[in-house]
């Protein structure tokens, strides 16, 4: 056990902290709003030039070109989080498409897309799920059939975050209808303004159509060049799994920050003149959650250590998503109970606490329990890959 | 930055685990439970030869002077094997308590623990919970009163006693005026007694031991959390093994999602709890300011997940899990006994709130 980062990293931390303090006022509030596009590009370019975004992406693809160093990444995330500033931008282009292109893209695709994506000039959405292909994603039916040098795409995608505000989509489509389920899929990129694409907003239970908007996307005879396929044709499932790996990595919850916020609420909130923190019942619930938050905090340090040593964390890594998501939901549940009958106030109504943070957090956490692989699918993975329990036998075909 | 076990720590853990697997398999525990007291001095001596009874004791007293994290790994291995041993009372709590006292006369006792010549029992429950009129007081070097739910006293050579709230006393097990009554618990892997003191002459009474008692309880709680964690690991291993073999409806039951998810949920609780326990043990030596909180949280949290795992792992075994012949109940009961041995989850969480200034100290 050695929890010190060392002098070189402490110096790096000081530099990042100074940068964030100096520039945080110039950050845009959201990344996807087209009216703020210029400001977003400027803000991201500033970070890339300083080396705090696109840090390890090669210079020829528009990055800063540093050697990968996990501790530097952790320090940057910690320092931006500490100041309440998003590092780079939370969007599916940088978090999912770019790592996939770096691993599987052609030289031309890398040069064309990575730089503009990291700088916020091109915004992306992800076309994976379909109405009939959720947990069983590989059963997707959106078809792309070849027509000369193009594919013609027909079908439907759903749960497509920010499709209404994106320039491009990376999608999974079935290019080999006669191949087996998993080997007939290709990973393809396409402009959202291609004729035949229709985006319909899908209102979520949060009622929020802002940054996290959901959509359905319909494809009718959408023509896309064959050169837009990433990696081998028919190999899309394997490529998507690299991308999903990046998604699960990006679902790291800041449980400790949420816990501090909950403790502040409990000190301030009173009922019948008594603060919630003075209630032994609420306090006991808080302490239970604190123990879980401390578990996940130190578990995160253990996972980080595995990554630094390039060791597989094994089953200890498989359980992170399911535990963190549930913990976040449970923390917001206590906060809502602490506010009692006022806990349901929403959408900036009079008397609402903390600008409605807790109901939004609760509903958003519920979404994360389901999204990126439901908790039930996660438990199958833990049991099958982690514990070696057998898969459910396939039902007899009728 | 390295949050994990060192190579030495892994080797230590492995050596204790393989020793216990070979020397004290569960069939041996089954035999020991028929004895008048489940504690067997031969096992204690063998653990001393392995070098673990003096794991926390300074080298000047003949120990190896390692840290609580090392000791916790031993404790975890002992829980995993459900071994009856006074490791917690002697090698953890007495070793830490007497070291904190720091007087010259403790040398012989610490040395005896390290060499395996001496076993200590503990009568310390009243440091955190008084029931049935219990409580021990000292006057002119003698003890009077009673202590409930004392650990490993039957076959011990000495007893470490908390008296007058903030004093630690050492008495001989065979000193005149001591009477020990066995208290039968569900757990056949630990020795539990009531100890009556009637003007018992002490070997020593140490004053002003609030700090020593606090540190002793912190170390004990973290080590006990590790013990329960070890119990949980074994129960999940047994449940998974069973689920891979047992067939119903022409399938192994582990292929049913209902059973699979029970197993996944158990392991999903164990792994973060392990990280919590590691840090709690690490903090005891490296960040002592955090240890009071981490000790409470690690034991309270692991006691909670322990109860669920004990129940669910037994359920995976179906009806056979409820029999004496199937061994899972040894761990089920050891987990249940540990839950309140050094303060239950509610008590510990209240203490956790107190040490953070969130509740008024009781």
């Amino acid at each position: 056990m050695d929890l010190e980062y060392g002098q070189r990293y402490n110096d790096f931390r000081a530099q990042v902290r100074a940068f964030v303090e100096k520039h945080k006022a110039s950050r845009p509030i959201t990344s996807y709003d087209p009216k703020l596009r210029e400001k977003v590009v400027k803000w991201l370019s500033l970070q890339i030039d300083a080396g705090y975004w696109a840090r390890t992406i090669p210079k020829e693809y528009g990055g800063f070109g540093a050697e990968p160093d996990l501790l530097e990444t952790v320090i940057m995330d910690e320092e931006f989080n500490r100041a309440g500033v998003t590092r780079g931008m939370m969007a599916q282009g940088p978090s999912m498409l770019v790592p996939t292109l770096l691993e599987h893209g052609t030289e031309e695709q890398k040069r064309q897309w990575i730089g503009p994506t990291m700088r916020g000039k091109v915004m992306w959405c992800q076309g994976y799920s379909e109405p009939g292909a959720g947990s069983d994603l590989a059963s997707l039916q959106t078809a792309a059939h070849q027509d000369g040098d193009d594919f013609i795409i027909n079908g439907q995608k759903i749960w497509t975050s920010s499709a209404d505000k994106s320039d491009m989509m990376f999608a999974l489509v079935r290019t080999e209808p006669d191949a087996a389920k998993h080997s007939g899929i290709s990973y393809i990129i396409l402009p959202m303004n291609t004729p035949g694409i229709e985006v319909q907003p899908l209102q979520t239970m949060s009622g929020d159509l802002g940054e996290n908007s959901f959509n359905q996307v319909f494809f009718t005879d959408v023509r896309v060049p064959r050169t837009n396929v990433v990696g081998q044709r028919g190999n899309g499932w394997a490529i998507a799994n690299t991308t999903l790996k990046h998604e699960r990595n990006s679902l790291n919850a800041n449980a400790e920050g949420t816990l501090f916020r909950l403790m502040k609420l409990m000190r301030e909130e009173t009922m019948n003149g008594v603060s919630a923190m003075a209630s032994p019942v609420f306090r006991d619930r808080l302490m239970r959650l604190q123990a879980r938050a401390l578990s996940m905090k130190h578990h995160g340090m253990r996972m980080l250590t595995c990554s630094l040593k390039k060791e597989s964390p094994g089953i200890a890594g498989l359980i992170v998503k399911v535990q963190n998501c549930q913990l976040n939901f449970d923390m917001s549940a206590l906060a809502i109970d602490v506010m009692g009958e006022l806990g349901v106030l929403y959408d900036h109504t009079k008397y609402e606490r903390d600008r409605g943070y807790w109901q939004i957090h609760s509903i958003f956490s519920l979404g994360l329990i389901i999204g990126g692989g439901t908790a039930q699918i996660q438990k199958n993975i833990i049991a099958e890959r982690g514990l070696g329990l057998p898969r459910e036998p396939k039902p007899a075909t009728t | 930055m390295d949050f994990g076990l060192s190579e030495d720590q892994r080797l230590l853990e492995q050596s204790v685990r393989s020793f216990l697997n070979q020397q004290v398999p569960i069939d041996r525990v089954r035999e020991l439970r028929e004895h008048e007291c489940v504690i067997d001095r031969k096992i204690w001596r063998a653990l001393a030869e392995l070098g673990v009874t003096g794991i926390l004791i300074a080298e000047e007293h003949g120990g190896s002077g390692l840290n609580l994290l090392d000791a916790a790994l031993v404790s975890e291995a002992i829980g995993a094997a459900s071994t009856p041993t006074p490791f917690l009372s002697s090698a953890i709590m007495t070793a830490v308590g007497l070291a904190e006292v720091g007087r010259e006369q403790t040398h012989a006792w610490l040395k005896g623990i390290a060499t395996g010549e001496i076993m200590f029992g503990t009568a310390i429950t009243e440091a955190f919970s008084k029931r049935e009129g219990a409580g021990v007081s000292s006057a002119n070097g003698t003890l009077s009163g009673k202590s409930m739910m004392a650990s490993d006293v039957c076959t011990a050579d000495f007893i470490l006693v908390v008296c007058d709230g903030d004093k630690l006393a050492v008495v001989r097990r065979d000193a005149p005026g001591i009477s020990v009554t066995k208290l039968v618990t569900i757990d056949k892997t630990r020795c539990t007694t009531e100890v009556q003191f009637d003007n018992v002459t002490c070997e020593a009474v140490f004053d002003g031991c609030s700090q020593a008692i606090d540190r002793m309880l912190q170390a004990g709680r973290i080590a006990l959390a590790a013990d329960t964690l070890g119990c949980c690991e074994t129960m999940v291993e047994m449940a998974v093994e069973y689920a891979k073999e047992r067939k119903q409806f022409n399938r192994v039951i582990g292929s049913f999602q209902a059973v699979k998810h029970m197993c996944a949920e158990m392991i999903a609780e164990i792994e973060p709890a392990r990280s919590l326990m590691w840090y709690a043990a690490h903090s005891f030596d490296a960040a002592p300011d955090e240890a009071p909180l981490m000790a409470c949280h690690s034991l309270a949290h692991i006691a909670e997940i322990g109860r669920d795992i004990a129940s669910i792992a037994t359920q995976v075994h179906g009806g056979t899990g409820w029999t004496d012949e199937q061994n899972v109940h040894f761990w089920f009961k050891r987990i249940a006994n540990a839950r309140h041995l050094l303060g239950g989850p509610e008590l510990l969480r209240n203490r956790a709130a107190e040490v953070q200034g969130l509740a008024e100290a009781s």
Side-chain angles (χ1 to χ4, degrees):
Chain A
M1 280 282 176
D2 174 12
L3 307 184
E4 292 299 320
Y5 281 42
Q7 189 59 44
R8 182 167 82 77
Y9 290 106
N10 292 343
D11 292 347
F12 180 71
R13 184 185 293 280
Q15 287 164 22
V16 181
R17 188 171 294 187
F19 174 88
V20 176
E21 282 309 308
K22 186 173 170 195
H23 296 292
K24 69 178 179 189
S26 68
R27 74 186 191 277
I29 341 150
T30 141
S31 310
Y32 275 96
D33 187 342
K35 292 195 291 287
L36 294 172
R37 183 67 65 94
E38 207 175 310
K39 206 175 172 187
V40 168
V41 172
K42 214 172 138 190
W43 166 240
L44 294 174
S45 299
L46 180 72
Q47 288 181 61
I48 293 176
D49 294 344
Y52 302 142
W53 179 239
R55 182 173 178 81
T56 60
I57 290 173
K59 278 208 162 80
E60 61 266 35
Y61 307 141
F64 180 74
E67 285 298 307
D69 184 322
L70 190 56
L71 278 186
E72 288 178 351
T73 308
V74 169
I75 288 168
M76 291 188 291
D77 283 338
E78 284 176 356
E79 287 304 315
F80 277 75
N81 269 341
R82 186 179 158 273
V85 178
T86 305
R87 185 166 75 87
M89 65 173 161
M90 293 278 284
Q92 290 180 318
S95 69
M96 297 177 73
L97 173 82
V98 167
T100 306
L101 282 185
L102 282 169
E103 208 166 320
H104 303 283
T106 62
E107 186 61 25
E108 200 184 337
Q109 286 168 337
K110 289 179 194 174
R111 286 186 188 271
Q112 185 176 2
W113 298 115
I114 293 176
T117 301
M118 295 308 289
R119 278 168 208 269
K121 291 177 182 167
V122 178
M123 303 301 291
W124 294 79
C125 60
Q126 178 202 63
Y128 279 13
S129 297
E130 296 178 5
S135 290
D136 184 13
L137 183 61
S139 68
L140 60 91
Q141 292 301 326
T142 294
H145 64 260
Q146 195 181 329
D147 181 36
D149 287 337
D150 298 330
F151 280 116
I152 311 285
I153 302 176
N154 282 285
Q156 181 189 353
K157 295 292 177 182
I158 196 169
W159 319 125
T160 320
S161 301
S162 304
D164 52 335
K165 304 185 219 63
S166 293
D167 309 295
M168 294 287 294
M169 171 187 272
F170 55 95
L172 293 179
V173 292
R174 190 162 295 282
T175 48
E176 330 297 320
D178 300 326
K181 184 169 155 183
H182 292 85
S183 46
I185 297 170
S186 294
Y187 187 109
I188 198 165
I189 55 178
L190 52 120
M192 287 301 283
N193 62 6
T194 315
I197 294 180
E198 191 198 341
V199 176
Q200 279 181 13
L202 180 72
Q203 184 143 357
T204 70
M205 66 183 282
S206 74
D208 178 15
L209 287 174
E211 182 86 338
N212 299 307
S213 66
F214 262 160
N215 302 275
Q216 301 194 75
V217 182
F218 297 89
F219 298 83
T220 312
D221 295 332
V222 176
R223 185 172 284 273
V224 180
R226 277 167 61 193
T227 50
N228 280 23
V229 169
V230 176
Q232 289 289 329
R233 175 173 167 172
N235 199 29
W237 183 251
I239 294 171
N241 273 321
T242 358
T243 317
L244 285 171
K245 180 181 74 190
H246 296 297
E247 179 173 35
R248 289 195 192 120
N249 289 346
S250 69
L251 285 176
N252 265 337
N254 176 17
E256 209 182 14
T258 310
L259 185 84
F260 285 141
R261 195 166 186 155
L262 172 58
M263 290 170 84
K264 183 166 176 284
L265 176 80
M266 282 184 59
R267 285 196 197 92
E268 290 167 356
E269 193 66 32
T270 64
M271 184 181 71
N272 302 332
V274 180
S275 101
M277 196 63 97
S279 152
V281 177
F282 282 134
R283 210 167 52 216
D284 191 70
R285 284 180 62 185
L286 175 70
M287 289 299 100
R288 287 186 85 135
L289 289 168
Q290 187 178 43
R292 288 170 60 194
L294 285 167
S295 299
M296 293 315 295
K297 175 188 170 181
H298 294 105
H299 197 65
M301 293 164 73
R302 184 172 147 203
M303 295 301 99
L304 172 64
T305 299
C306 289
S307 302
L308 287 170
K309 290 182 171 172
K310 301 199 170 20
E311 286 173 4
S312 161
I315 202 163
L318 298 177
I319 57 89
V320 171
K321 194 233 167 191
V322 75
Q323 293 299 81
N324 263 337
C325 290
Q326 189 63 45
L327 173 59
N328 266 291
F329 185 77
D330 292 348
M331 285 194 286
S332 52
L334 174 56
I336 289 164
D337 289 348
V338 159
M339 296 181 282
E341 64 279 14
L342 304 188
V344 289
L345 296 177
Y346 195 55
D347 205 11
H348 308 313
T349 305
K350 190 179 177 189
Y351 303 120
E352 186 188 66
R353 310 302 204 242
D354 238 351
R355 293 185 54 78
Y357 174 82
W358 293 106
Q359 282 292 355
I360 294 170
H361 188 257
S362 166
I363 291 170
F364 191 66
S365 310
L366 176 62
L368 286 183
I369 290 173
I370 301 167
T374 65
Q376 288 65 39
I377 290 290
Q378 300 293 329
K379 286 173 192 173
N380 283 351
I381 293 172
I382 295 165
E384 289 165 12
R385 290 191 210 154
L387 297 171
L389 289 167
R391 291 179 69 99
E392 190 113 2
K394 285 196 169 43
T397 43
T398 47
Chain B
M1 163 73 193
D2 185 356
F3 186 94
L5 302 182
S6 66
E7 202 48 46
D8 285 350
Q9 285 166 332
R10 284 176 212 255
L11 286 172
L12 168 73
E13 190 178 14
Q14 276 166 19
S15 70
V16 178
R17 284 184 187 236
S18 73
F19 166 81
L20 293 175
N21 282 340
Q22 285 161 24
Q23 302 299 316
V24 201
I26 198 65
D27 290 344
R28 177 74 186 130
V29 179
R30 199 172 265 285
E31 286 165 22
L32 288 168
R33 76 171 172 177
E34 305 302 328
H35 295 191
E36 198 158 330
C37 177
V38 71
I39 302 293
D40 178 357
R41 196 176 283 267
K42 284 203 288 285
I43 298 174
W44 179 247
R45 290 225 175 91
L47 283 171
E49 273 170 37
L50 208 60
V52 299
T53 61
I55 192 162
L56 287 180
I57 292 168
E59 289 176 34
E60 61 188 288
H61 302 305
S64 40
L66 294 178
N67 290 329
L68 188 63
L69 179 54
D70 305 286
L73 298 175
V74 177
S75 200
E76 186 184 342
I78 287 169
S82 212
T83 309
T85 166
F87 184 78
L88 179 66
S89 21
S90 298
I92 304 278
M93 299 192 65
T94 303
V96 169
L98 293 183
E100 289 283 334
V101 164
R103 309 276 175 77
E104 208 167 300
Q105 66 209 102
T106 62
H107 171 75
W109 296 316
L110 291 170
K111 191 171 178 207
I113 291 172
T115 59
E117 299 299 308
I118 290 178
M119 295 197 298
F120 263 78
T122 50
I124 51 95
T125 305
E126 288 68 35
F128 54 88
S129 170
K130 294 192 181 76
R131 292 175 196 259
E132 299 291 334
V136 182
S137 54
S138 71
N140 304 319
T142 64
L143 294 185
S144 292
K146 74 168 173 182
S147 180
M148 298 283 290
M149 308 306 279
S151 287
D152 307 327
V153 165
C154 282
T155 51
D157 305 291
F158 295 92
I159 313 170
L160 182 72
V161 187
V162 170
C163 52
D164 306 321
D166 67 344
K167 292 179 194 164
L168 280 170
V170 175
V171 296
R172 282 187 176 279
R173 163 69 180 86
D174 56 6
I178 288 186
S179 56
V180 175
T181 309
K182 194 174 170 65
L183 297 174
V184 178
T185 75
I186 54 166
D187 177 15
K188 303 304 176 205
T189 71
R190 284 192 175 99
C191 161
T192 307
T193 53
E194 171 191 352
V195 187
Q196 295 265 5
F197 301 90
D198 184 12
N199 253 330
V200 177
T201 304
C202 298
E203 300 301 300
V205 181
F206 303 109
D207 295 341
C209 289
S210 296
Q211 165 81 9
I213 293 168
D214 278 351
R215 290 284 284 170
M216 174 183 82
L217 284 175
Q218 287 162 27
R221 285 168 176 164
I222 294 164
L224 186 58
D227 186 302
T228 294
L229 185 73
C231 292
C232 291
E233 288 159 13
T234 301
M235 291 197 82
V236 173
E237 271 168 33
M238 292 172 83
V240 170
E241 281 309 301
Y242 188 81
K244 285 178 183 171
E245 283 165 13
R246 168 75 174 167
K247 279 190 174 170
Q248 287 286 275
F249 305 102
N250 299 318
R251 292 160 60 176
V252 292
I253 61 169
S255 68
F256 290 103
Q257 285 194 342
V259 175
K260 206 178 267 186
H261 286 193
M262 288 161 104
C263 296
E265 284 162 11
M266 290 192 281
I267 203 76
E269 294 297 345
I270 285 179
E271 288 305 328
R274 183 192 311 287
S275 306
L276 180 69
M277 185 278 280
W278 283 358
Y279 185 74
H282 175 70
S283 77
F284 184 78
D285 297 290
D289 290 353
E290 294 178 44
L293 179 66
M294 295 308 299
C296 290
H297 273 327
S298 58
L299 182 54
H301 180 67
I302 292 175
E304 297 289 16
I305 68 159
R307 175 141 82 185
D308 290 342
I309 288 170
S311 162
I312 294 167
T314 306
Q315 291 177 51
V316 171
H317 287 82
T320 173
W322 209 58
T323 63
D324 178 65
E325 189 188 349
Q326 223 299 340
N327 292 317
V328 279
H329 63 85
F330 282 103
W331 286 273
F332 179 98
K333 293 164 182 169
R334 189 175 172 97
I335 289 171
N337 190 6
R339 187 177 172 89
H340 289 277
L341 195 60
L342 293 176
E346 288 77 13
L347 182 152
L348 293 169
R349 286 195 291 268
N350 194 48
R351 183 79 195 125
E354 283 172 11
V355 300
Q356 296 176 88
L358 303 176
E360 283 181 30
S362 47

